[in-house]
Amino acid sequence: MFHHVKELQFNARVSKPDVRFAKLLLEQFGGPNGELKAAMQYFVQAFGCRKPHPDKYDMLMDIATEEFSHLEIVGATIQMLLTGVNGELKNAADESDLTKLLDGKAAKENYIHDAMINPHFFLVSGGTPTLTDSVGNPWNAGYIMGMGDLTVDMRTNIAAESTAKMVYENLMKFTDDVYVKESLRYLMTREVAHFQMFQAALDTIQPNFPPGILQSDPKFSNKYFNMSKGEKFSGPWNDGKSPLMGEDWQYIENPHQHVLDTNGLLKEQQEGTYRTEKSVQKVNRELSAERKNEIDDANSSKNGVMQWSTYNNKEDKEKPKKKKIKKSA
Amino acid sequence: MFHHVKELQFNARVSKPDVRFAKLLLEQFGGPNGELKAAMQYFVQAFGCRKPHPDKYDMLMDIATEEFSHLEIVGATIQMLLTGVNGELKNAADESDLTKLLDGKAAKENYIHDAMINPHFFLVSGGTPTLTDSVGNPWNAGYIMGMGDLTVDMRTNIAAESTAKMVYENLMKFTDDVYVKESLRYLMTREVAHFQMFQAALDTIQPNFPPGILQSDPKFSNKYFNMSKGEKFSGPWNDGKSPLMGEDWQYIENPHQHVLDTNGLLKEQQEGTYRTEKSVQKVNRELSAERKNEIDDANSSKNGVMQWSTYNNKEDKEKPKKKKIKKSA
Amino acid sequence: MFHHVKELQFNARVSKPDVRFAKLLLEQFGGPNGELKAAMQYFVQAFGCRKPHPDKYDMLMDIATEEFSHLEIVGATIQMLLTGVNGELKNAADESDLTKLLDGKAAKENYIHDAMINPHFFLVSGGTPTLTDSVGNPWNAGYIMGMGDLTVDMRTNIAAESTAKMVYENLMKFTDDVYVKESLRYLMTREVAHFQMFQAALDTIQPNFPPGILQSDPKFSNKYFNMSKGEKFSGPWNDGKSPLMGEDWQYIENPHQHVLDTNGLLKEQQEGTYRTEKSVQKVNRELSAERKNEIDDANSSKNGVMQWSTYNNKEDKEKPKKKKIKKSA
Amino acid sequence: MFHHVKELQFNARVSKPDVRFAKLLLEQFGGPNGELKAAMQYFVQAFGCRKPHPDKYDMLMDIATEEFSHLEIVGATIQMLLTGVNGELKNAADESDLTKLLDGKAAKENYIHDAMINPHFFLVSGGTPTLTDSVGNPWNAGYIMGMGDLTVDMRTNIAAESTAKMVYENLMKFTDDVYVKESLRYLMTREVAHFQMFQAALDTIQPNFPPGILQSDPKFSNKYFNMSKGEKFSGPWNDGKSPLMGEDWQYIENPHQHVLDTNGLLKEQQEGTYRTEKSVQKVNRELSAERKNEIDDANSSKNGVMQWSTYNNKEDKEKPKKKKIKKSA
Amino acid sequence: MFHHVKELQFNARVSKPDVRFAKLLLEQFGGPNGELKAAMQYFVQAFGCRKPHPDKYDMLMDIATEEFSHLEIVGATIQMLLTGVNGELKNAADESDLTKLLDGKAAKENYIHDAMINPHFFLVSGGTPTLTDSVGNPWNAGYIMGMGDLTVDMRTNIAAESTAKMVYENLMKFTDDVYVKESLRYLMTREVAHFQMFQAALDTIQPNFPPGILQSDPKFSNKYFNMSKGEKFSGPWNDGKSPLMGEDWQYIENPHQHVLDTNGLLKEQQEGTYRTEKSVQKVNRELSAERKNEIDDANSSKNGVMQWSTYNNKEDKEKPKKKKIKKSA
Amino acid sequence: MFHHVKELQFNARVSKPDVRFAKLLLEQFGGPNGELKAAMQYFVQAFGCRKPHPDKYDMLMDIATEEFSHLEIVGATIQMLLTGVNGELKNAADESDLTKLLDGKAAKENYIHDAMINPHFFLVSGGTPTLTDSVGNPWNAGYIMGMGDLTVDMRTNIAAESTAKMVYENLMKFTDDVYVKESLRYLMTREVAHFQMFQAALDTIQPNFPPGILQSDPKFSNKYFNMSKGEKFSGPWNDGKSPLMGEDWQYIENPHQHVLDTNGLLKEQQEGTYRTEKSVQKVNRELSAERKNEIDDANSSKNGVMQWSTYNNKEDKEKPKKKKIKKSA
């Protein structure tokens, strides 16, 4: 259950209207890396954690709720930047006043020019933010990701925080309003904070590589295919040891010939790895059982009714104390 | 600023998993008439009201926040209906177990059949609700409407509540789970409550017809064009007086001939109306000035800084009293 | 079956080309509140009315067809505003003329500037309107609504007419062309007329509140949850009687505590209402039976063949007389 | 201006409801190759032809209007196939009847199964066609094409008719209803008829190859790059003469080496062609001038007002005679 | 399997940055008629041809791969046109430098102005092309067409090449950069070349009209409905013989009356055609059998395993010779 | 420039047709985590690296090209799984055979049932994969991410590989075909390999945290807001040191009160951090200058022409040697 308090989380201020920056700032209101995307992504991911991972649920809902609060900050800033637009639209009667003075013409020309920047502010939102990115594409739920596996979802969230941080960094180049910059810097900083929260949560899950459960096939996990001929480079991504598994990279100089030689890789041999098919299968079975049990235990229903919340209305429920709990192994 | 409390607004319960109804219920999670649409529509509309119409802002934020809380109820219900999906997916190791027993085959067949119902639950969300409608279309911001004018937006919201109510009514046909029906009935009822809230708010704004400010042209506002030949009907929409303006409907039997006769309606005469071009222009000017002033007064900035919230940290701020205020004329 | 006559319903005129206003006017050609949306919404809704509600079918098809005719007016206006664009594009040979004169450079600069306003007019439509809104989002069928229930659909249509009216009102601010304004005012006025037609139709259906059939739960229909803390306001939406059902609004000051106190609203009591669960169920049963019968009677097939139209080719069919019929109770 | 007559262009009939075929048939109601796409594509293309090519305008509007009429046939057929859905939804009161009989359970199971086929028919459209394709994607204007050049647009339309014909051919495999097949065959046949109309129109424009105005560069127009190694084939697309220009295909066996040899094709030589850069430029200039003049002449405004239609209300206007006119050279 | 070589197929060059033309050029990078659309359309169509039509598979993959190479040329050109954008964005520290000099202000104003042209280049792509059209709509797979029938798909491809050619022709009007024009002309020319390749391939399939297999109904294939009253025109599309079937066009002067007279066309008679229902059915049966056999023969599996490629690693496999093969009848 | 060889990178095989698994597998053909998304994401990101980061360009193009090759494997597998669909569609003539035998009816019923699984395979693609996800949503470019900053893009790519890996893991649950599983396991393994390549590349860039350039504000980077009341948990994400910056997490127990106390965080103090505003600004300036120079140096044009590739046609260009180079500091 959500509540709202009328004060913004951050005291957003604006020195003067600026329809152009309002347009740019839409990117973080209704864009693919914006606050709504973050809020909805963590909110939706949280459902699956409620029972088996209540600590992660708590964290996801804390951050999701903060992101909704950031969405409100961004929206409020855009609204202040658009001050005057709606009042001017209400000045509707002049449509019937067919005689125009010269001043009126010049003012009108400016007004039309502003409308070209983002017609939606003037025609359909009445000077209110629209849930689009900066070029006008409506927000859509294709932006949000969640696979129901925390080793994947935490990484997805780290990427989301990285891109959001970058957009704020870029946005700061396009305004001189010190008040607006102040808010942008706050919002940018919180993305960095969230990044680290997700990283810390990921680190509590072991093993967390590879993401998911199934181990990679040792025949193929350390091969590098040189698919792009011309100037070539070596780096730790194709030379030396792979960074998370410590296998030796095998560089396939001529992939086409290699594929022909191995009957389409069916005859591929494993090289440069300590893992065996047998060790892989053992890990698969053990980790699979462990992760399945975590979830099944948490979800076992009682008395033929599943219930999301409990409502024992005690005083200490109202003032919950901070409990230290251990993460599950 | 938003807060979240872990208890749902309504004690949502489920008697057993049901992947089919989970699919249908998505319609109200991520569909065009669903809870997210309502929540975001009112939330976005609220920005423009903050200063000029703080009473409407209060109402819109109250209802928006309740709709976010309903979104959570719907999501929690879907999550409970999908119990077992994610645990089974974690049973990943059997992919390496190539020998299949007969029982396994039958179970697998059922499992595959369930996946056909909604592949997303099984492949990409890990048994968590997805922000789509019941056939899988991602939610998009094209669903939300707001024109920055309360006489329009309240009507848009009434329509939104009507469609949402209808979907809940239809959904109830497809489940026998008494716990689920209990939640659906609660959610359906709240749409009816919100409908009336928006209607009441609309009634406080006078005049509120026509929506917006400009009056209709008396030459064309009471004409009914018979564009669809064949069996014809009369009703109060083309016969008698128009319901909101009280003009006499004029039925144009043969629109093509009429258009030819009037040089493309340029020579159209007004009939059956008490209004004149002069009276129309007078209302336009007066209402335009009044509405513009309302907004301009509210938005006048102080000291070169615009600020969204004030934070005077007094005790009585924490425990606000219910104030009676009058609506503006 | 549709016919087309080459004359526009309204004698649309333009005094000179204006690529900027052409861009803005796209909002009503291919935008979410535009003429195509209206036309398609009423056209699609009409299918379900054909048999059970032939009077509403007649009205919906009359208005849908008029909206298609308005779409044509808007498109024709845009086409005239874009005069010159296509001819200039045909001037393609100058691409091979690598020597540029100074005049050519200045003209080209203007030309490129115009292209920035809306690249689609210059690159992909050849100076013809595109089915997008004013920022270029393609029209999509997510804009149209219809629930197969007239008490819902009429309200949806009223909202559609309200938003469309508002966009025309806003558009008038951005042009000085008296001919264009003349057409805009006509189109705006027709939205007001259609609004009233849908209102009149809605009024003929009794009861029409709540939308659909099922009555609201009297325990929850008159509760107002104060979800948004801070400055609060009372108004007829949370104080006094609810406007359509006449129940007394119950204000829940602290929703979280209330939810804890009522075991997630399961123990909620009804207050301030004259309705009972029993009276609600009675209305549900009766109205349900009545509405079902209306539809089933109309749809009963004859001789194992369903047929949409009849074609008895009589002369009086060609010149149908206006028949007065009663609305069904 | 459009008119509607209540009779369908084709006497569409159905022998019994079939929710599955209704789902499939949506492909031609709101799908990318369906009737709405065709109708809107030709309608939008027509605007640009109104003045410079009134004969093509007449053809496009004739076909567009027929496609709208076909859209109505498809919608009516779907509506008849869905008979019973809406009536059953109106049977809403049984939601309050918590005791279920065994028969009711079985019927409900069937009902739920039907809903899985297409939830939209049951939850959001009330048994009315939806403007989506057969899997539920909303129609969008990205489906329609028009470049403002008839030599391109006629070819686009030929492709549209080809795909639409193919979908009808495929649809016939999925129903045994002879009445439905009868309508499908009619609709399929009309696509073949329209194909030929567009082909005939294209043939009246000379030259019509290449599409548009600018001639291709003779250095590159007859080269075939063998980009896909392995089993190779020759055919008239890479061997012999090119079918429309009669140049000799030049087969580039090893494109990478060729690109290196020619400094990225900058040193490419023309071979196997009779055309020269000079002859190309001459055609470019002449054709460009001709096409530009056609359009400019047609669009020249009179007296500072552009007007779409004329309304001289003479009797012979009402009964226009078929005029033979010549196509412009 | 794909390979990449670092050299572009064409030596794309740019004389100086131009953010405006970069925006326009996006139309061919991520627009509906652009290079990605072409590449993906032919690539996807190719799958179905692999077995039954290996010669068409070869052609489709050759052209698809060339289109990917063109996508790279377009992207590289945009990247060069955007030179400087990313470096300037990296100049992020000046956000902390609150004192601005006058010069800085002017430069910033220009910078902001550039951002208005396409905010995505500055906020989200860091000066790299985005997969959108010129107004910012993301590329989507709705752009690609393929019906699994070569007589349809070749025509669809001809249309795709026509529109792509036209966009390049239009683009050339908006730049003076001779290097950019050089690349555009190359790309435009290749569309003309591909057009002819698809035409040649279509010609090898006989019969190829009507597209698909089923013949049109002789009662309806040569009727022209005059659906659009007013000024009328005759042309080879409604007068004389139909261009591909050689039937005599029948002009229906008054379609409504005609429909009434024929009981909704059920009593329509065939006229002006040499075909009979019997001859049509004969062709249907024969062509259907032939086309089905082609596919079934090709797809017959061997030994219970289907395999896409064979990998007999012989030296001559590496250097395949050009084989002449005949098309199947 | 791309090349294609007809052999697949992996010898994809299928034991028998399976339209249901074909539908599921679409998720990785045209879904948001699929092969096209990966291929296009890396391909587009590569453009910006070409000059300033040629080593990363090489890696991105190698992996992008491999992903295109995987897209081909997935498509080929779907095509084999759909064997028989197209042949049956070509059996079109039986539509004219109105007499049905009993066997035919049963077969037809199965056929219709298959069509319900995914109508697109039967109506619009003719048994060829479609560029959609498993429920039919068309692929769109909103799936791809790239910010023009490698510290962000590498993290985005790691997330992409994680989600893609997870989908393959899930897919394996839904087929028993050992050949299909073999291919799925190969594809899954390659995602794990690519994950490590991107991680290794990220590690070569120092510093790479925070992503982008600007440092976070030390007043806000280590605050944890408890936005979600009820059961609370501590973990390394809100207790102890932040994992990447080593600051002490500060837990804000009551965010609303805290915001009131700090005038909307404007008076927030930094706590638990070693960083100062001054040290932050120093890093900002230095890193900003360094990154800007990297890019500007690489992009400096020569002689007024920018050129993407060089084509010095030497023999050693054809057989490039593997060069060891150092990453830039």
Side-chain angles (χ1 to χ4, degrees), chain C residues 127-143:
Chain C
T128 292
T130 55
L131 260 181
T132 67
D133 69 5
S134 59
V135 301
N137 292 305
W139 192 91
N140 75 77
Y143 300 153

Side-chain angles (χ1 to χ4, degrees), chain A residues 1-7 88-92 94-98 100 105 108-109 111-113 115-116 118-120 122-126 132 135-138 307 310-314 317-318, chain C residues 19-21 23-25 27 32-33 113 117 133-135 137 166-167 169-176 178 181 185 225-233 254-257 259-261 263-265:
Chain A
M1 182 180 181
F2 287 92
H3 282 285
H4 181 255
V5 293
K6 297 226 169 60
E7 293 87 2
E88 201 52 42
L89 284 171
K90 296 303 182 219
N91 193 11
D94 84 317
E95 75 81 25
S96 51
D97 177 9
L98 298 176
K100 293 291 162 208
K105 284 227 166 179
K108 190 149 202 170
E109 183 60 23
Y111 197 54
I112 292 171
H113 189 266
M116 290 299 117
N118 183 357
H120 280 178
F122 294 81
L123 298 181
V124 294
S125 85
T132 66
V135 300
N137 292 305
Q307 186 171 338
T310 54
Y311 301 82
N312 55 342
N313 182 25
K314 302 239 182 83
K317 190 74 184 178
E318 275 300 84
Chain C
V19 71
R20 296 189 305 178
F21 195 71
K23 173 195 174 102
L24 297 182
L25 193 46
E27 194 67 37
N33 311 295
H113 190 266
I117 289 169
D133 69 5
S134 59
V135 301
N137 292 305
M166 195 72 211
V167 180
E169 182 171 319
N170 288 343
L171 275 167
M172 285 192 224
K173 303 278 300 173
F174 298 97
T175 180
D176 281 333
V178 294
K181 284 199 165 189
R185 196 182 183 210
F225 292 91
N226 174 34
M227 308 292 278
S228 162
K229 289 176 183 167
E231 202 184 10
K232 288 186 295 183
F233 294 87
N254 185 335
H256 186 205
Q257 190 58 48
V259 161
L260 293 174
D261 290 345
N263 191 26
L265 298 177

Side-chain angles (χ1 to χ4, degrees), chain F residues 277-290:
Chain F
E277 182 64 19
K278 196 175 160 190
S279 73
V280 159
Q281 296 302 345
K282 184 163 176 290
V283 176
N284 281 356
R285 274 191 304 274
E286 290 173 359
L287 190 54
S288 184
E290 178 186 329

